[in-house]
Amino acid sequence: MTDPSAASRPTQAVVLAGGQGSRLRPYTDDRPKPMVEIPGTGTPIIGHQLSWLAEEGVTDVVVSCGHLAEVLQKWLETTELPVSVTTVVETEPLGRGGGLKYAAAHLPDPDRPWYATNGDIWTRFSLRDMADFHTERDALATLALARPRLPWGAVQTDGFGHITDFIEAPPSTFEINAGVYVFSPGFADLLPERGDHERTTFPRLARERRLAGFPIPQGSYWRAIDTAKDLTEAAKELAAQGR
């Protein structure tokens, strides 16, 4: 039996892979951030992302390149990929919003919805469920929301100032933008030619109640790879999961 929701789920995506990754040096001295390998996996971050997107029904991906673009392009050209990939390179810095708009212009079907993800995100959850959530709320844009673990231990106290417990690396009480998105066809038109959409487009849509937030399901894996410590932690967590 055909799933009626399938028609509204994206089959195309943008991966923003142009960041310099200065906090990941020396790993990023000779490669862009998405080309850094998760220790023990033999595959760069973007390789895991493309596999995940393919598993979620994506067939076409536009990769937006910047820092050391030729290294990423060579890997994409010489690797057997599970999706069709097009690369675009910003000739001048456009900012996150401008870069997203530029990449979106190269999607195969501008009249269809699309996913987007930052090139340093390592995660696994159902994009199909996120797309259905987006459609049900008639949103123009939907952000995945994560509760990252704090890098410090926390202390619990009672109402009298007595410490009652110590909690190692608890999850944040706040949800954050997880760097994974679903966008409706008209979204690209609202993006700035250059600049940051999180300061312009997103606040506007939030005021209009057309910006939705999809909580990543509890137990799903999510981590932004920003520092060498993140690489080490990701490797430990994957080993513990037997992946």
Side-chain angles (χ1 to χ4, degrees), residues 94-103 187-202 204:
L94 298 175
R96 290 190 296 175
L100 196 58
K101 188 182 188 81
Y102 180 63
F187 176 76
D189 295 335
L190 303 180
L191 287 166
E193 295 293 334
R194 63 180 64 233
D196 190 347
H197 59 294
E198 293 194 13
R199 294 172 182 245
T200 55
T201 311
F202 280 175
R204 171 184 166 185

Side-chain angles (χ1 to χ4, degrees), residues 38-41 221 223 230-240 243:
I38 304 293
T41 69
Y221 187 79
R223 180 178 282 277
D230 290 323
L231 279 176
T232 303
E233 292 298 319
K236 284 182 190 173
E237 289 159 356
L238 292 175
R243 296 165 76 176

Side-chain angles (χ1 to χ4, degrees), residues 5 10 41 46-47 57 69 72 82 94 110 127 168 171 176 182 210 228 240 243:
S5 301
T41 69
I46 193 165
L72 177 51
L94 298 175
L127 285 175
E168 183 63 32
I176 67 163
V182 182
R210 302 211 63 192
R243 296 165 76 176

Side-chain angles (χ1 to χ4, degrees), residues 5 8 129-139:
S5 301
S8 61
D129 287 350
M130 185 175 172
D132 293 347
F133 179 96
H134 171 82
T135 301
E136 288 161 5
R137 280 148 188 81
D138 192 29

Side-chain angles (χ1 to χ4, degrees), residues 211-226:
L211 185 66
F214 175 79
I216 293 177
Q218 192 171 3
S220 298
Y221 187 79
W222 180 89
R223 180 178 282 277
I225 307 296
D226 288 321

Side-chain angles (χ1 to χ4, degrees), residues 3 14 26 32 36 55-56 64 72 74 83 95-96 99 106 108-109 123 131 140 145 165 187 190 195 201 230:
D3 183 350
V14 167
V36 173
E55 290 165 8
E56 294 296 324
S64 177
L72 177 51
K74 182 177 180 181
V83 291
R96 290 190 296 175
H106 295 80
D109 193 344
T123 187
L140 204 55
L145 304 177
D165 201 1
F187 176 76
L190 303 180
T201 311
D230 290 323

Side-chain angles (χ1 to χ4, degrees), residues 1-32:
M1 183 176 176
T2 304
D3 183 350
S5 301
S8 61
R9 293 172 187 155
T11 58
Q12 54 187 359
V14 167
V15 176
L16 295 173
Q20 293 197 8
S22 55
R23 289 195 293 165
L24 261 174
R25 288 178 179 153
Y27 297 99
T28 50
D29 284 345
D30 61 354
R31 70 196 64 194

Side-chain angles (χ1 to χ4, degrees), residues 49-225:
Q49 289 185 322
L50 294 176
S51 295
W52 174 49
L53 290 169
E55 290 165 8
E56 294 296 324
V58 172
T59 57
D60 295 271
V61 176
V62 176
V63 178
S64 177
C65 308
H67 174 64
L68 296 174
E70 65 281 1
V71 177
L72 177 51
Q73 289 174 317
K74 182 177 180 181
W75 183 84
L76 291 168
E77 289 166 4
T78 56
T79 303
E80 188 173 339
L81 303 173
V83 291
S84 175
V85 173
T86 302
T87 59
V88 296
V89 182
E90 294 178 30
T91 54
E92 57 181 327
L94 298 175
R96 290 190 296 175
L100 196 58
K101 188 182 188 81
Y102 180 63
H106 295 80
L107 287 166
D109 193 344
D111 296 324
R112 295 273 301 153
W114 46 293
Y115 297 117
T117 182
N118 296 341
D120 60 356
I121 300 300
W122 168 255
T123 187
R124 279 292 189 280
F125 64 90
S126 174
L127 285 175
R128 291 181 175 90
D129 287 350
M130 185 175 172
D132 293 347
F133 179 96
H134 171 82
T135 301
E136 288 161 5
R137 280 148 188 81
D138 192 29
L140 204 55
T142 296
L143 288 60
L145 304 177
R147 287 186 185 272
R149 292 197 167 275
L150 298 178
W152 319 279
V155 175
Q156 276 189 337
T157 59
D158 63 17
F160 300 98
H162 300 114
I163 292 175
T164 58
D165 201 1
F166 293 88
I167 306 170
E168 183 63 32
S172 167
T173 55
F174 291 98
E175 293 175 311
I176 67 163
N177 179 352
V180 180
Y181 312 92
V182 182
F183 297 133
S184 292
F187 176 76
D189 295 335
L190 303 180
L191 287 166
E193 295 293 334
R194 63 180 64 233
D196 190 347
H197 59 294
E198 293 194 13
R199 294 172 182 245
T200 55
T201 311
F202 280 175
R204 171 184 166 185
L205 291 179
R207 288 192 298 269
E208 297 172 356
R209 296 294 187 268
R210 302 211 63 192
L211 185 66
F214 175 79
I216 293 177
Q218 192 171 3
S220 298
Y221 187 79
W222 180 89
R223 180 178 282 277
I225 307 296

